Amino acid sequence: MDVTDVHHSYRQHAVLRGIDLRLRPGTLAGIVGENGAGKSTLLKILAGELRPDRGSVRHSGRFGYCPQSVVLDDSFTVRQHLDLFKSAFGLANLRRAEEVMETLAFTEYLDQRAGLLSGGSRQKLNLTLALMHDPDVLLLDEPYQGFDWETYLRFWELAERLRDAGHSVLVISHLAYDIDRLDLLWRLENGRLERQERRTEAVAV
């Protein structure tokens, strides 16, 4: 993923003031910043949900997007969500979804309606849907919101496994949890990214 000179404003308020970053395959990266710094705006632009006022975002390969606000139909069961997204992605089977659910200890909820799930379980489903088509780049906005400690550790296990398999994972959060797990860390402040390199596999410019 290559991001060049991205700007975005809401009316007269400039939120992003020239964002540049490069995320190479096999990278686990994070962006942190205060509430209101523009993190979710940036992620929506990276995912193609929002058009920047200026600048460009280029993806190579498939990408998955896990927004902070869970987008689920409360009347559907977990299984029905998986079947719906299987059709949308044109998948032959649910093998990848089953692997993610096993890692997150979520398989027992297949026939539970989404509206009856706890906040943490809804987030597990949200993450499964973002990963079930095996994306090359995964964009995550506060992905462990509502997770208990065990699930939080399972999330990082999953993220590191994806990185080691050559995928790129970008985690956006307002707090810099477990930064030693990251290859790269950026801070979004005053509409710009400040970089702190964790490893050399990825480069931001």
Side-chain angles (χ1 to χ4, degrees), residues 177-205:
Y177 290 128
D178 282 342
I179 61 174
D180 58 318
R181 297 177 183 270
L182 301 173
D183 304 316
L184 277 174
L185 176 66
W186 290 280
R187 175 170 293 279
L188 181 58
E189 192 169 21
N190 297 321
R192 295 183 174 87
L193 287 179
E194 296 180 4
R195 187 188 68 187
Q196 178 185 354
E197 280 198 59
R198 305 298 298 172
R199 295 183 186 177
T200 59
E201 286 87 326
V203 175
V205 293

Side-chain angles (χ1 to χ4, degrees), residues 132-193:
M132 63 184 290
H133 62 302
D134 199 25
D136 300 292
V137 178
L138 182 61
L139 308 174
L140 306 172
D141 193 356
E142 303 283 358
Y144 29 69
Q145 186 170 270
F147 284 174
D148 58 27
W149 181 246
E150 181 180 353
T151 306
Y152 176 77
L153 295 178
R154 286 174 178 267
F155 162 78
W156 283 113
E157 174 189 332
L158 178 61
E160 290 167 356
R161 193 187 308 162
L162 288 166
R163 184 268 313 282
D164 294 343
H167 302 269
S168 300
V169 182
L170 180 63
V171 178
I172 289 187
S173 177
H174 69 285
L175 294 174
Y177 290 128
D178 282 342
I179 61 174
D180 58 318
R181 297 177 183 270
L182 301 173
D183 304 316
L184 277 174
L185 176 66
W186 290 280
R187 175 170 293 279
L188 181 58
E189 192 169 21
N190 297 321
R192 295 183 174 87
L193 287 179

Side-chain angles (χ1 to χ4, degrees), residues 17-29:
R17 303 168 181 263
I19 300 295
D20 297 282
L21 69 89
R22 179 178 300 163
L23 192 63
R24 290 181 175 170
T27 304
L28 177 52

Side-chain angles (χ1 to χ4, degrees), residues 76-82 101 106 109-110 112 114 117 125:
F76 280 18
T77 65
V78 170
R79 191 188 305 274
Q80 287 172 326
H81 278 93
L82 297 180
M101 292 178 70
F106 187 52
Y109 295 94
L110 269 173
Q112 184 77 270
L117 296 174
L125 176 54

Side-chain angles (χ1 to χ4, degrees), residues 73-90:
D73 188 321
D74 286 348
S75 66
F76 280 18
T77 65
V78 170
R79 191 188 305 274
Q80 287 172 326
H81 278 93
L82 297 180
D83 288 340
L84 178 64
F85 277 72
K86 174 188 171 186
S87 296
F89 287 132

